[in-house]
Amino acid sequence: MNKKNSDILHPRFSQEEILKKVDSLASEIAKDYKKLNPVFICVLKGGVYFFSDLTRAIPFSVEIDFVQARSYSGTVSTGKIDLLKDINTDLSDRHIILVEDILDTGFTLQYLVRHIFTRNPASLEIVTLLLKERKNILEFPVKYVGWRIPDEFVVGYGLDFDGKYRNLPDIHVLEPGDFSV
Ligand code: IMP
Ligand code: MG
């Protein structure tokens, strides 16, 4: 008979720690963008909670938009990415801040960076709450980083495992359940 043990979640960053980190990132960004009328772009779906806390911590009016990409990690093409939802705002001569939950290989973000550059923005910077140190292969520098973490799988605060755990308020390290016989 098949036995499936439940996933185990190990606490990593509490809601309180996250909100403190988000506030400090927002202050840094606010200082740099005070007079630039920036557009914040949320990378769906994972960035949604970080994006909503971050933009609300900016003490002046900003514009927001959303983008969604899907990356394939199939056997053949590792870097192949599909755009599921494009950005509606006219980005030409605007200062763009792209908001991500986590950077792993960097393929998704690299695709989005190239995509945004075709729309002639005045500038583009990335903010990510988490950066996996070992695997990151992005050529484009990431200006604002919340935490650098080792190569572990994390869930919560927007981050999912197979669609689950996104709405947890804290971030946890996932130890997947045992699917063996
Ligand atoms: P990348 O293209 O390899 O940088 O991966 C980007 C996407 O993979 C992220 O935006 C997440 O959606 C997902 N991802 C990577 N690492 C994790 C993780 O540890 N937990 C949950 N999602 C992750
Ligand atoms: Mg994501």
Coordinates of all heavy atoms in Angstrom, one line a residue, residues 11-95:
P11 N 10.4 26.6 10.1 CA 10.3 28.1 10.1 C 11.7 28.7 9.6 O 12.7 28.3 10.1 CB 10.0 28.5 11.5 CG 9.5 27.2 12.2 CD 10.1 26.1 11.4
R12 N 11.6 29.7 8.7 CA 12.8 30.3 8.2 C 12.8 31.8 8.5 O 13.7 32.3 9.2 CB 12.9 30.0 6.7 CG 14.3 30.4 6.1 CD 15.4 29.5 6.7 NE 16.6 29.6 5.9 CZ 17.5 30.5 6.0 NH1 17.3 31.5 6.8 NH2 18.6 30.5 5.2
F13 N 11.8 32.5 8.0 CA 11.7 34.0 8.3 C 10.2 34.2 8.8 O 9.3 33.8 8.1 CB 11.9 34.8 7.1 CG 13.3 34.6 6.5 CD1 13.5 34.0 5.3 CD2 14.4 35.1 7.2 CE1 14.7 33.8 4.7 CE2 15.7 34.9 6.6 CZ 15.9 34.3 5.4
S14 N 10.1 34.9 9.9 CA 8.8 35.1 10.5 C 8.2 36.3 9.8 O 8.9 37.1 9.2 CB 8.9 35.4 12.0 OG 9.5 36.6 12.2
Q15 N 6.8 36.4 9.9 CA 6.1 37.5 9.4 C 6.7 38.9 9.8 O 6.8 39.8 9.1 CB 4.6 37.4 9.8 CG 3.7 38.4 9.2 CD 2.3 38.2 9.6 OE1 2.0 37.5 10.6 NE2 1.4 38.7 8.8
E16 N 7.1 38.9 11.1 CA 7.6 40.1 11.7 C 9.0 40.5 11.0 O 9.2 41.6 10.7 CB 7.8 39.9 13.2 CG 7.9 41.2 14.0 CD 8.3 40.9 15.4 OE1 8.3 39.7 15.9 OE2 8.7 41.8 16.1
E17 N 9.8 39.5 10.9 CA 11.1 39.7 10.3 C 11.0 40.1 8.8 O 11.7 41.0 8.3 CB 12.0 38.4 10.2 CG 12.5 38.0 11.6 CD 13.2 36.6 11.4 OE1 12.5 35.6 11.3 OE2 14.5 36.6 11.4
I18 N 10.0 39.5 8.1 CA 9.8 39.8 6.7 C 9.3 41.3 6.6 O 9.8 42.0 5.8 CB 8.7 38.9 6.1 CG1 9.2 37.5 6.1 CG2 8.3 39.4 4.7 CD1 8.1 36.4 5.8
L19 N 8.4 41.7 7.4 CA 7.9 43.1 7.3 C 8.9 44.1 7.6 O 9.0 45.2 7.0 CB 6.6 43.3 8.2 CG 5.4 42.5 7.6 CD1 4.2 42.7 8.5 CD2 5.1 42.8 6.2
K20 N 9.8 43.8 8.6 CA 11.0 44.7 8.9 C 11.9 44.8 7.7 O 12.3 45.9 7.3 CB 11.8 44.1 10.0 CG 11.8 45.0 11.3 CD 12.8 44.5 12.3 CE 12.0 44.2 13.6 NZ 12.8 43.4 14.5
K21 N 12.1 43.7 7.0 CA 13.0 43.6 5.8 C 12.4 44.4 4.7 O 13.0 45.2 4.0 CB 13.2 42.2 5.4 CG 14.1 42.0 4.2 CD 15.5 42.5 4.4 CE 16.4 41.5 5.2 NZ 17.8 42.0 5.3
V22 N 11.1 44.2 4.5 CA 10.3 44.9 3.5 C 10.4 46.4 3.7 O 10.6 47.2 2.8 CB 8.9 44.4 3.4 CG1 8.1 45.3 2.4 CG2 8.8 43.0 2.9
D23 N 10.2 46.9 4.9 CA 10.3 48.3 5.3 C 11.7 48.9 4.9 O 11.8 50.0 4.4 CB 10.0 48.5 6.7 CG 8.5 48.7 7.0 OD1 7.8 48.9 6.0 OD2 8.1 48.7 8.1
S24 N 12.7 48.1 5.2 CA 14.0 48.6 5.0 C 14.3 48.7 3.5 O 14.9 49.7 3.0 CB 15.1 47.9 5.8 OG 15.7 46.9 5.1
L25 N 13.9 47.7 2.7 CA 14.0 47.8 1.3 C 13.2 48.9 0.7 O 13.7 49.7 -0.2 CB 13.5 46.5 0.6 CG 14.4 45.2 0.8 CD1 13.6 44.0 0.3 CD2 15.7 45.4 0.0
A26 N 12.0 49.2 1.2 CA 11.2 50.2 0.7 C 11.8 51.6 1.0 O 11.8 52.5 0.1 CB 9.8 50.2 1.4
S27 N 12.5 51.8 2.2 CA 13.2 53.1 2.5 C 14.3 53.3 1.5 O 14.5 54.4 1.0 CB 13.7 53.1 3.9 OG 12.9 52.6 4.8
E28 N 15.1 52.2 1.2 CA 16.2 52.3 0.3 C 15.7 52.8 -1.1 O 16.2 53.7 -1.7 CB 16.8 51.0 0.2 CG 18.3 50.9 0.1 CD 18.8 49.5 0.0 OE1 18.4 48.6 0.7 OE2 19.6 49.2 -1.0
I29 N 14.7 52.1 -1.5 CA 14.1 52.3 -2.9 C 13.5 53.7 -2.9 O 13.7 54.5 -3.9 CB 13.1 51.3 -3.3 CG1 13.8 49.9 -3.4 CG2 12.3 51.6 -4.6 CD1 12.8 48.7 -3.6
A30 N 12.8 54.1 -1.9 CA 12.1 55.4 -1.8 C 13.2 56.5 -1.9 O 12.9 57.6 -2.6 CB 11.3 55.6 -0.5
K31 N 14.3 56.4 -1.3 CA 15.4 57.4 -1.3 C 15.9 57.5 -2.8 O 16.1 58.6 -3.2 CB 16.5 56.9 -0.4 CG 16.9 57.9 0.7 CD 18.2 57.6 1.4 CE 18.3 56.1 1.9 NZ 19.6 55.6 2.0
D32 N 16.1 56.4 -3.4 CA 16.6 56.4 -4.8 C 15.6 56.9 -5.8 O 16.1 57.4 -6.9 CB 17.1 55.0 -5.2 CG 18.2 54.5 -4.3 OD1 18.8 55.3 -3.6 OD2 18.5 53.3 -4.4
Y33 N 14.3 56.8 -5.6 CA 13.3 57.0 -6.7 C 12.4 58.2 -6.4 O 11.4 58.4 -7.1 CB 12.5 55.8 -6.9 CG 13.3 54.7 -7.7 CD1 14.1 53.8 -7.1 CD2 13.2 54.7 -9.1 CE1 14.9 52.9 -7.8 CE2 13.9 53.8 -9.8 CZ 14.7 52.9 -9.2 OH 15.4 51.9 -9.9
K34 N 12.8 59.0 -5.4 CA 11.8 60.0 -4.9 C 11.3 60.9 -6.0 O 10.1 61.2 -6.0 CB 12.6 60.9 -3.8 CG 11.7 61.6 -3.0 CD 12.4 62.2 -1.8 CE 11.3 62.9 -0.9 NZ 11.8 63.2 0.4
K35 N 12.2 61.3 -6.9 CA 11.7 62.3 -7.9 C 11.5 61.6 -9.3 O 11.4 62.3 -10.3 CB 12.7 63.4 -8.0 CG 12.9 64.1 -6.7 CD 13.4 65.6 -6.9 CE 13.3 66.3 -5.6 NZ 14.6 66.3 -4.9
L36 N 11.4 60.3 -9.3 CA 11.5 59.6 -10.6 C 10.2 59.0 -11.1 O 10.1 58.5 -12.2 CB 12.6 58.5 -10.6 CG 14.0 59.0 -10.4 CD1 15.0 57.9 -10.3 CD2 14.4 60.0 -11.5
N37 N 9.1 59.2 -10.3 CA 7.8 58.6 -10.7 C 7.9 57.2 -11.3 O 7.5 56.9 -12.4 CB 7.2 59.6 -11.8 CG 5.7 59.2 -12.1 OD1 5.1 58.5 -11.3 ND2 5.3 59.5 -13.3
P38 N 8.4 56.3 -10.4 CA 8.7 54.9 -10.9 C 7.4 54.1 -11.2 O 6.3 54.4 -10.7 CB 9.5 54.3 -9.8 CG 9.0 55.0 -8.6 CD 8.7 56.4 -9.0
V39 N 7.6 53.0 -12.0 CA 6.6 52.0 -12.2 C 7.1 50.7 -11.5 O 8.1 50.2 -11.9 CB 6.3 51.7 -13.7 CG1 5.1 50.7 -13.8 CG2 6.0 53.0 -14.5
F40 N 6.3 50.2 -10.6 CA 6.7 48.9 -9.9 C 5.9 47.8 -10.7 O 4.7 47.9 -10.9 CB 6.2 48.9 -8.5 CG 7.1 49.7 -7.5 CD1 7.2 51.1 -7.6 CD2 7.9 49.0 -6.6 CE1 8.0 51.8 -6.7 CE2 8.7 49.7 -5.7 CZ 8.8 51.1 -5.8
I41 N 6.7 46.8 -11.1 CA 6.1 45.7 -11.8 C 6.2 44.4 -11.0 O 7.3 44.0 -10.6 CB 6.7 45.5 -13.2 CG1 6.4 46.8 -14.0 CG2 6.1 44.3 -13.9 CD1 7.0 46.8 -15.4
C42 N 5.1 43.8 -10.7 CA 5.0 42.6 -9.9 C 5.2 41.4 -10.8 O 4.4 41.2 -11.8 CB 3.7 42.5 -9.1 SG 3.5 41.0 -8.2
V43 N 6.1 40.5 -10.5 CA 6.1 39.2 -11.2 C 5.2 38.2 -10.5 O 5.4 37.8 -9.4 CB 7.6 38.7 -11.2 CG1 7.7 37.4 -12.1 CG2 8.6 39.7 -11.8
L44 N 4.1 37.9 -11.2 CA 3.1 37.0 -10.7 C 3.6 35.5 -10.8 O 4.4 35.2 -11.7 CB 1.8 37.1 -11.5 CG 1.1 38.5 -11.3 CD1 0.0 38.6 -12.3 CD2 0.6 38.7 -9.9
K45 N 3.1 34.6 -10.0 CA 2.2 34.9 -8.9 C 3.0 35.2 -7.6 O 2.5 35.8 -6.7 CB 1.2 33.7 -8.6 CG 0.4 33.3 -9.8 CD -0.4 32.1 -9.4 CE -1.2 31.6 -10.5 NZ -1.9 30.3 -10.2
G46 N 4.2 34.6 -7.5 CA 5.0 34.5 -6.3 C 5.2 35.9 -5.6 O 5.3 36.0 -4.4
G47 N 5.3 37.0 -6.5 CA 5.7 38.2 -5.9 C 4.5 39.0 -5.2 O 4.7 40.1 -4.7
V48 N 3.3 38.4 -5.3 CA 2.2 39.2 -5.0 C 2.1 39.8 -3.6 O 1.8 41.0 -3.4 CB 0.9 38.4 -5.3 CG1 0.7 37.2 -4.4 CG2 -0.3 39.3 -5.3
Y49 N 2.5 39.1 -2.5 CA 2.4 39.6 -1.2 C 3.6 40.5 -0.9 O 3.4 41.6 -0.3 CB 2.4 38.5 -0.1 CG 1.2 37.5 -0.3 CD1 1.4 36.2 -0.7 CD2 -0.1 38.0 -0.1 CE1 0.4 35.3 -0.9 CE2 -1.1 37.1 -0.3 CZ -0.9 35.8 -0.7 OH -2.0 34.9 -0.9
F50 N 4.8 40.2 -1.4 CA 5.9 41.1 -1.2 C 5.6 42.4 -1.9 O 5.9 43.5 -1.4 CB 7.1 40.3 -1.8 CG 8.4 41.1 -1.9 CD1 8.8 41.9 -0.8 CD2 9.2 41.1 -3.0 CE1 10.0 42.6 -0.8 CE2 10.4 41.9 -3.0 CZ 10.8 42.6 -1.9
F51 N 5.1 42.3 -3.1 CA 4.8 43.5 -3.9 C 3.8 44.4 -3.2 O 4.0 45.6 -3.1 CB 4.3 43.0 -5.3 CG 3.9 44.2 -6.2 CD1 4.9 44.7 -7.0 CD2 2.6 44.6 -6.4 CE1 4.6 45.7 -7.9 CE2 2.3 45.6 -7.3 CZ 3.3 46.2 -8.0
S52 N 2.8 43.8 -2.7 CA 1.7 44.6 -2.0 C 2.2 45.2 -0.7 O 1.9 46.4 -0.5 CB 0.5 43.8 -1.9 OG 0.3 43.4 -0.6
D53 N 3.1 44.5 0.0 CA 3.7 45.2 1.2 C 4.7 46.2 0.9 O 4.7 47.3 1.5 CB 4.3 44.1 2.1 CG 3.3 43.2 2.8 OD1 2.2 43.7 3.1 OD2 3.6 42.1 3.2
L54 N 5.5 45.9 -0.1 CA 6.6 46.8 -0.5 C 6.0 48.2 -1.1 O 6.5 49.2 -0.6 CB 7.5 46.2 -1.6 CG 8.7 47.0 -2.1 CD1 9.8 46.9 -1.0 CD2 9.2 46.4 -3.4
T55 N 5.1 48.1 -2.0 CA 4.6 49.3 -2.6 C 3.8 50.1 -1.6 O 3.9 51.4 -1.6 CB 3.7 49.0 -3.8 OG1 2.7 48.0 -3.5 CG2 4.5 48.5 -5.0
R56 N 3.2 49.5 -0.6 CA 2.4 50.3 0.4 C 3.4 50.9 1.4 O 3.0 51.8 2.1 CB 1.4 49.4 1.1 CG 0.2 49.1 0.2 CD -0.8 48.3 0.8 NE -0.3 47.0 1.2 CZ -0.8 46.1 2.0 NH1 -2.0 46.4 2.6 NH2 -0.3 44.9 2.3
A57 N 4.6 50.5 1.4 CA 5.6 51.1 2.3 C 6.4 52.2 1.7 O 7.2 52.8 2.3 CB 6.6 50.0 2.8
I58 N 6.1 52.5 0.4 CA 6.7 53.6 -0.3 C 5.9 54.9 0.0 O 4.7 54.9 -0.2 CB 6.7 53.4 -1.8 CG1 7.5 52.1 -2.2 CG2 7.3 54.6 -2.6 CD1 9.0 52.1 -2.1
P59 N 6.6 55.9 0.6 CA 5.8 57.1 1.1 C 5.4 58.1 0.0 O 5.2 59.3 0.4 CB 6.8 57.7 2.1 CG 8.1 57.3 1.6 CD 8.0 56.0 0.9
F60 N 5.3 57.7 -1.2 CA 4.8 58.6 -2.3 C 4.1 57.8 -3.3 O 4.2 56.6 -3.3 CB 5.9 59.5 -2.9 CG 7.1 58.7 -3.3 CD1 7.2 58.1 -4.6 CD2 8.2 58.6 -2.5 CE1 8.3 57.4 -5.0 CE2 9.4 57.9 -2.9 CZ 9.4 57.3 -4.1
S61 N 3.3 58.4 -4.2 CA 2.5 57.7 -5.2 C 3.4 57.1 -6.2 O 4.3 57.7 -6.8 CB 1.5 58.7 -5.8 OG 0.8 58.0 -6.8
V62 N 3.1 55.8 -6.5 CA 3.8 55.1 -7.6 C 2.8 54.4 -8.4 O 1.7 54.1 -8.0 CB 4.8 54.0 -7.0 CG1 5.9 54.7 -6.1 CG2 4.1 52.9 -6.3
E63 N 3.2 54.1 -9.7 CA 2.3 53.3 -10.5 C 2.7 51.8 -10.4 O 3.8 51.5 -10.1 CB 2.5 53.7 -12.0 CG 1.7 55.0 -12.3 CD 1.9 55.5 -13.7 OE1 1.7 54.7 -14.6 OE2 2.3 56.7 -13.8
I64 N 1.7 51.0 -10.6 CA 1.9 49.5 -10.5 C 1.4 48.8 -11.8 O 0.5 49.3 -12.4 CB 1.3 48.9 -9.2 CG1 -0.2 49.0 -9.3 CG2 1.9 49.5 -8.0 CD1 -0.9 48.1 -8.2
D65 N 2.1 47.7 -12.1 CA 1.6 46.8 -13.1 C 2.0 45.4 -12.8 O 2.8 45.2 -11.9 CB 2.1 47.3 -14.5 CG 1.1 46.9 -15.6 OD1 0.4 45.9 -15.4 OD2 1.0 47.6 -16.6
F66 N 1.6 44.5 -13.6 CA 1.8 43.0 -13.4 C 2.3 42.3 -14.6 O 1.9 42.6 -15.7 CB 0.5 42.4 -12.9 CG 0.0 43.0 -11.6 CD1 -0.8 44.1 -11.7 CD2 0.4 42.6 -10.4 CE1 -1.3 44.8 -10.6 CE2 -0.1 43.2 -9.2 CZ -0.9 44.3 -9.3
V67 N 3.2 41.3 -14.4 CA 3.6 40.5 -15.5 C 3.6 39.1 -15.0 O 3.9 38.8 -13.8 CB 5.0 41.0 -16.0 CG1 6.1 40.7 -15.0 CG2 5.3 40.4 -17.4
Q68 N 3.4 38.1 -15.9 CA 3.5 36.7 -15.5 C 4.1 35.9 -16.6 O 3.8 36.0 -17.8 CB 2.1 36.1 -15.3 CG 2.1 34.7 -14.7 CD 0.7 34.2 -14.2 OE1 -0.3 34.9 -14.5 NE2 0.7 33.1 -13.5
A69 N 5.1 35.1 -16.2 CA 5.9 34.3 -17.1 C 5.9 32.8 -16.6 O 5.7 32.6 -15.4 CB 7.3 34.8 -17.3
R70 N 6.0 31.9 -17.5 CA 6.1 30.5 -17.1 C 7.3 29.9 -17.7 O 7.6 30.0 -18.8 CB 4.8 29.7 -17.5 CG 4.9 28.2 -17.2 CD 3.6 27.5 -17.6 NE 3.3 27.7 -19.0 CZ 2.1 27.5 -19.5 NH1 1.1 27.0 -18.8 NH2 1.9 27.6 -20.8
S71 N 8.1 29.3 -16.8 CA 9.3 28.7 -17.3 C 9.2 27.2 -17.3 O 8.5 26.6 -16.5 CB 10.5 29.1 -16.5 OG 10.3 28.6 -15.1
Y72 N 9.7 26.6 -18.4 CA 9.7 25.1 -18.5 C 10.9 24.5 -18.0 O 12.0 25.0 -18.4 CB 9.5 24.7 -20.0 CG 8.2 25.1 -20.5 CD1 8.0 26.3 -21.2 CD2 7.0 24.4 -20.3 CE1 6.8 26.7 -21.7 CE2 5.8 24.7 -20.8 CZ 5.7 25.9 -21.5 OH 4.5 26.3 -22.0
S73 N 10.8 23.5 -17.2 CA 12.1 22.8 -16.7 C 12.0 21.4 -17.2 O 12.3 20.5 -16.5 CB 12.2 22.9 -15.2 OG 11.0 22.5 -14.6
G74 N 11.6 21.2 -18.5 CA 11.5 19.9 -19.1 C 12.8 19.3 -19.4 O 13.8 19.9 -19.0
T75 N 12.8 18.2 -20.1 CA 14.1 17.5 -20.3 C 14.9 18.2 -21.4 O 16.1 18.2 -21.3 CB 13.8 16.1 -20.8 OG1 12.7 16.1 -21.7 CG2 13.4 15.2 -19.6
V76 N 14.2 18.8 -22.3 CA 15.0 19.4 -23.4 C 15.5 20.8 -23.2 O 16.7 21.1 -23.1 CB 14.2 19.3 -24.8 CG1 15.2 19.5 -26.0 CG2 13.6 17.9 -24.9
S77 N 14.5 21.7 -23.1 CA 14.8 23.1 -23.1 C 14.7 23.7 -21.7 O 13.6 24.0 -21.2 CB 14.0 23.9 -24.1 OG 12.6 23.7 -23.8
T78 N 15.8 24.0 -21.1 CA 15.7 24.5 -19.7 C 15.3 26.0 -19.7 O 14.6 26.4 -18.8 CB 17.1 24.4 -19.0 OG1 18.1 24.5 -19.9 CG2 17.2 23.1 -18.2
G79 N 15.8 26.8 -20.6 CA 15.6 28.2 -20.6 C 14.4 28.7 -21.3 O 14.2 29.9 -21.4
K80 N 13.5 27.8 -21.7 CA 12.3 28.3 -22.5 C 11.3 28.9 -21.6 O 10.8 28.3 -20.6 CB 11.8 27.1 -23.3 CG 10.6 27.6 -24.1 CD 10.2 26.6 -25.2 CE 8.9 27.0 -26.0 NZ 8.2 28.1 -25.5
I81 N 10.8 30.1 -22.0 CA 9.9 30.8 -21.1 C 8.7 31.3 -22.0 O 8.9 31.8 -23.1 CB 10.6 31.9 -20.4 CG1 11.5 31.3 -19.3 CG2 9.7 32.8 -19.7 CD1 12.5 32.1 -18.7
D82 N 7.5 31.3 -21.4 CA 6.3 31.8 -22.0 C 5.8 33.0 -21.3 O 5.8 32.9 -20.0 CB 5.2 30.7 -21.9 CG 4.8 30.1 -23.2 OD1 5.5 30.4 -24.2 OD2 3.9 29.3 -23.2
L83 N 5.4 34.0 -22.0 CA 4.8 35.2 -21.3 C 3.3 34.9 -21.2 O 2.6 34.8 -22.2 CB 5.0 36.4 -22.2 CG 4.8 37.8 -21.5 CD1 5.8 37.9 -20.3 CD2 5.0 38.9 -22.5
L84 N 2.7 34.8 -20.0 CA 1.3 34.6 -19.8 C 0.5 35.8 -19.6 O -0.7 35.9 -20.0 CB 1.1 33.7 -18.5 CG 1.8 32.3 -18.5 CD1 1.4 31.6 -17.2 CD2 1.3 31.5 -19.7
K85 N 1.2 36.9 -19.1 CA 0.5 38.2 -18.9 C 1.5 39.3 -19.2 O 2.5 39.3 -18.5 CB -0.2 38.3 -17.6 CG -1.1 39.5 -17.4 CD -0.7 40.4 -16.3 CE -1.5 41.7 -16.4 NZ -0.8 42.8 -17.1
D86 N 1.2 40.1 -20.1 CA 2.1 41.2 -20.5 C 1.8 42.5 -19.6 O 0.8 42.6 -19.0 CB 2.1 41.5 -22.0 CG 3.3 42.2 -22.5 OD1 4.2 42.5 -21.7 OD2 3.4 42.3 -23.7
I87 N 2.8 43.4 -19.7 CA 2.6 44.7 -19.0 C 1.8 45.6 -19.8 O 2.1 45.8 -21.0 CB 4.0 45.3 -18.7 CG1 4.9 44.3 -17.9 CG2 3.9 46.6 -18.0 CD1 6.4 44.4 -18.2
N88 N 0.8 46.3 -19.3 CA -0.1 47.2 -20.1 C 0.4 48.6 -20.1 O 0.1 49.3 -21.1 CB -1.5 47.2 -19.5 CG -2.1 45.8 -19.4 OD1 -1.9 45.0 -20.3 ND2 -2.8 45.5 -18.3
T89 N 1.2 49.0 -19.1 CA 1.6 50.4 -19.0 C 2.6 50.7 -20.1 O 3.4 49.8 -20.5 CB 2.3 50.6 -17.6 OG1 1.5 50.1 -16.6 CG2 2.7 52.1 -17.4
D90 N 2.6 51.9 -20.6 CA 3.6 52.4 -21.6 C 4.9 52.7 -20.8 O 5.0 53.6 -19.9 CB 3.1 53.7 -22.3 CG 4.2 54.2 -23.2 OD1 5.3 53.6 -23.4 OD2 3.9 55.3 -23.8
L91 N 5.9 51.9 -21.0 CA 7.2 51.9 -20.2 C 8.2 52.9 -20.8 O 9.3 53.1 -20.2 CB 7.8 50.5 -20.1 CG 6.9 49.4 -19.5 CD1 7.7 48.2 -19.3 CD2 6.3 49.9 -18.1
S92 N 8.0 53.5 -22.0 CA 9.0 54.3 -22.6 C 9.4 55.5 -21.7 O 8.5 56.2 -21.3 CB 8.7 54.7 -24.0 OG 7.4 55.3 -24.0
D93 N 10.7 55.6 -21.5 CA 11.2 56.7 -20.7 C 10.8 56.7 -19.2 O 10.9 57.7 -18.5 CB 10.9 58.1 -21.3 CG 11.6 58.2 -22.6 OD1 12.7 57.8 -22.8 OD2 10.9 58.8 -23.6
R94 N 10.3 55.5 -18.8 CA 9.9 55.4 -17.4 C 11.0 54.6 -16.6 O 11.7 53.9 -17.1 CB 8.6 54.6 -17.2 CG 7.4 55.3 -17.9 CD 7.0 56.6 -17.4 NE 6.7 56.6 -15.9 CZ 5.5 56.3 -15.5 NH1 4.5 56.1 -16.3 NH2 5.3 56.3 -14.2
H95 N 11.0 54.9 -15.3 CA 11.9 54.2 -14.4 C 11.2 53.0 -13.8 O 10.2 53.1 -13.1 CB 12.4 55.1 -13.3 CG 13.3 56.2 -13.9 ND1 14.6 56.1 -14.2 CD2 12.9 57.5 -14.3 CE1 15.1 57.2 -14.7 NE2 14.1 58.1 -14.8

